[in-house]
Amino acid sequence: MLNMAEGLARLSALAASPVVSALAAAFDDAGRELSVVGGPVRDAFLGRQTNDLDFTTDASPDDILRIVTPISSAQWDIGRAFGTIGAKVQGESVEITTYRADSYDGVTRKPTVEFGDSLEGDLARRDFTVNAMALRVPACTLVDPTGGVEDLVERRLRTPGDPRVSFGDDPLRMLRAARFASQLEFDVDPDTVAAMTELRETLSIVSPERIQGELVKLLQTADPVRGIRLLVETGLIDLFLPEVPALRLEIDEHHHHKDVYEHSLTVLRQTIELERERNPDAAPDVPLRLAALLHDIGKPATRRLEPGGGVTFHHHDVKGARMARKRLQALRFDSDTIGTVTRLIELHLRFFGYAEGAWTDSAVRRYVRDADAELERLHILTRADVTTRNRRKAMRLASAYDDIENRIAALREQEQIDAVRPELDGNRIQEVLSIRPGREVGEAYRFLLDLRLDEGVLGEEEAERRLRAWWAARSA
């Protein structure tokens, strides 16, 4: 429940902070208006940490630069065309933007930049009412022309005006609605949801890079599931990640299996919980969360209804990894992220064979070797993938994974399992076998690596003996 008295007290503290005070005094001395705007005001009411300070003013970009230069250690004007000047004031980065009154052509999401003449007009063009509040400084006066405070109290996300106009101006705002719904744990106003559904096709004018950016921000929230459900409900996600709603497989009365869509959302939530437990101070792991959301997207394409009511999804891990690669490439994700996500999807089923029967040390070594740099993430994803309501089964799987992690730790201590290499490198293989560089060297290396994984440390002398025997048998 929003406590207004505490919220107003935090606003006063924000206005009195060194950075805000310094800027407020400088603009006031110059005869210009200045207001803290958007997220910092909203977060002060909610008692949330504010990471960025955004300001708006009636001053032109040239005047902003002139005013802030004496009180800042650095300035940048990369956003000058949009009226924004950046500066570092008392060690903090701030952005100050001239009042805006933009218009849109409906074909692209790039506005025709027009500067406005009032704070209220500037606020009315913003995305949501809770982001359309301002704190005038140094007077410390709250300006809320669109009912942002009321929406904070109701925990409601709503556009300042007609949502069809707002989303028609900038379709990316529809994805922001999903992100803020998750970030703030707010419900989206029904008219706003209806507009998102009606205008979802307009998202096609937004670049893949912008869509990817909003998807990443959504996945970085404490509970992205709320936003994902909204994207599925409105059909927006069909335009950039259709594999997720496709997980809602039709279930008939004869062939029973778990709801793959709900399972995937549960896995995502459990992944985030485990991520926080294991790495409480780390930033949100977006590649891991992507893998959790997408780990079963190969199931619809591999689903087979078996006689007697069974359902199979053979090789959905391999299929899903290929599908994820293609989709993430279309969204312009970087190669490292794509590699991590697809590798985790490929490997997410590997552990379940361990639960059926104890692995040899060789199998454990191969598990570590195949996961390589993604092993810790794979630990989290595999544990999160257990969503059974059968308590006994869940405990058995958890115990099995405890066991495999303990064995990995023991093998690491004994033989540096993370750096498993054959005793002989390529140069030594050429010397022992008297061969030149080529395909045979690679085959010999893989033979020795398999020996190392299967049997552990052999020693150089034994490795040479085994290599010669292998070469003789191969030549014969």
Side-chain angles (χ1 to χ4, degrees):
M1 186 73 179
L2 182 67
N3 186 311
M4 287 295 297
E6 290 181 1
L8 292 172
R10 285 190 289 266
L11 282 180
S12 296
L14 175 63
S17 68
V19 175
V20 176
S21 295
L23 284 165
F27 276 79
D28 192 48
D29 289 346
R32 293 296 188 179
E33 298 177 2
L34 185 72
S35 298
V36 186
V37 69
V41 179
R42 177 200 70 217
D43 291 343
F45 266 114
L46 295 175
R48 297 168 60 95
Q49 182 177 353
T50 296
N51 297 318
D52 300 303
L53 285 174
D54 294 321
F55 297 84
T56 189
T57 178
D58 63 343
S60 69
D62 287 341
D63 286 339
I64 295 172
L65 192 58
R66 178 178 55 79
I67 293 168
V68 301
T69 296
I71 62 169
S72 58
S73 58
Q75 309 84 37
W76 52 94
D77 62 355
I78 191 170
R80 180 191 286 265
F82 297 94
T84 300
I85 299 296
K88 180 156 286 190
V89 179
Q90 298 191 15
E92 287 193 44
S93 296
V94 301
E95 288 191 345
I96 308 156
T97 302
T98 305
Y99 295 154
R100 297 270 292 272
D102 302 338
S103 60
Y104 294 79
D105 60 14
V107 177
T108 69
R109 58 176 299 271
K110 293 181 179 179
T112 300
V113 178
E114 298 175 9
F115 296 137
D117 55 10
S118 74
L119 174 60
E120 289 77 10
D122 177 274
L123 295 175
R125 54 165 286 279
R126 293 178 179 263
D127 53 5
F128 302 104
T129 60
V130 296
N131 297 331
M133 299 181 292
L135 180 66
R136 288 188 186 273
V137 290
C140 197
T141 304
L142 177 67
V143 181
D144 178 22
T146 64
V149 172
E150 288 83 353
D151 288 333
L152 285 177
V153 172
E154 297 295 328
R155 304 188 68 81
R156 175 177 59 206
L157 206 61
R158 182 174 60 86
T159 58
D162 185 338
R164 289 156 188 81
V165 174
S166 180
F167 296 151
D169 285 345
D170 185 358
L172 191 65
R173 288 173 175 170
M174 296 186 287
L175 298 190
R176 288 201 197 110
R179 190 235 301 181
F180 283 122
S182 281
Q183 180 180 319
L184 303 175
E185 298 181 358
F186 281 14
D187 293 324
V188 181
D189 176 73
D191 286 344
T192 303
V193 174
M196 293 168 67
T197 305
E198 179 183 331
L199 298 176
R200 62 182 178 272
E201 295 295 336
T202 63
L203 191 66
S204 60
I205 71 173
V206 180
S207 71
E209 291 85 356
R210 290 288 187 177
I211 293 173
Q212 180 223 108
E214 280 302 320
L215 176 60
V216 167
K217 289 175 183 177
L218 170 59
L219 289 170
Q220 288 172 329
T221 64
D223 182 16
V225 170
R226 181 190 291 258
I228 292 168
R229 288 192 188 280
L230 178 62
L231 294 175
V232 171
E233 175 189 346
T234 57
L236 275 162
I237 204 168
D238 292 336
L239 281 82
F240 62 93
L241 204 59
E243 294 81 3
V244 172
L247 293 170
R248 297 177 296 179
L249 299 178
E250 181 180 348
I251 302 175
D252 61 43
E253 60 180 320
H254 302 295
H255 295 84
H256 299 286
H257 58 81
K258 69 176 65 176
D259 185 325
V260 183
Y261 171 67
E262 292 297 333
H263 164 75
S264 297
L265 296 183
T266 300
V267 171
L268 175 57
R269 272 196 168 126
Q270 293 185 167
T271 293
I272 293 171
E273 290 171 5
L274 287 169
E275 179 189 327
R276 289 190 192 128
E277 287 177 15
R278 291 183 169 227
N279 307 293
D281 298 323
D285 192 335
V286 172
L288 174 59
R289 297 180 183 194
L290 272 171
L293 178 62
L294 305 179
H295 76 284
D296 273 347
I297 60 171
K299 280 190 171 180
T302 58
R303 181 180 182 226
R304 297 291 180 270
L305 304 180
E306 303 294 341
V311 181
T312 62
F313 304 97
H314 293 311
H315 307 301
H316 76 268
D317 46 349
V318 177
K319 178 69 174 178
R322 292 173 183 161
M323 293 169 64
R325 180 177 295 279
K326 184 176 180 180
R327 180 58 56 194
L328 297 181
Q329 287 173 338
L331 286 170
R332 307 291 194 269
F333 276 92
D334 62 276
S335 58
D336 287 345
T337 297
I338 294 172
T340 292
V341 174
T342 54
R343 193 65 180 140
L344 290 172
I345 294 174
E346 284 174 350
L347 294 173
H348 82 273
L349 290 181
R350 182 76 65 88
F351 157 73
F352 291 97
Y354 184 92
E356 301 304 322
W359 284 358
T360 62
D361 284 351
S362 169
V364 175
R365 291 189 196 98
R366 289 180 183 279
Y367 188 71
V368 174
R369 174 74 178 186
D370 291 346
D372 199 20
E374 309 307 336
L375 182 62
E376 295 305 316
R377 284 172 164 145
L378 185 59
H379 287 332
I380 293 174
L381 177 59
T382 303
R383 286 182 181 273
D385 198 19
V386 178
T387 61
T388 179
R389 294 179 182 177
N390 184 321
R391 182 175 177 81
R392 182 175 297 177
K393 181 179 180 182
M395 291 179 64
R396 178 173 61 83
L397 290 170
S399 177
Y401 213 87
D402 288 342
D403 185 63
I404 194 174
E405 287 203 65
N406 289 335
R407 290 181 64 188
I408 289 170
L411 286 170
R412 274 178 169 156
E413 186 173 344
Q414 292 168 13
E415 52 187 76
Q416 295 182 315
I417 193 172
D418 294 308
V420 170
R421 299 288 186 274
E423 277 83 355
L424 310 180
D425 62 15
N427 290 331
R428 184 58 183 152
I429 289 170
Q430 293 175 56
E431 293 175 5
V432 170
L433 300 181
S434 300
I435 58 176
R436 298 173 63 82
R439 177 173 53 84
E440 291 87 354
V441 177
E443 292 177 359
Y445 186 91
R446 285 189 290 275
F447 164 74
L448 290 173
L449 179 58
D450 285 339
L451 279 181
R452 175 72 173 81
L453 291 169
D454 288 339
E455 301 182 30
V457 178
L458 296 172
E460 187 171 337
E461 183 178 340
E462 177 64 10
E464 288 184 13
R465 188 187 71 77
R466 296 282 196 96
L467 177 62
R468 289 191 177 94
W470 171 80
W471 182 252
R474 180 182 181 280
S475 301

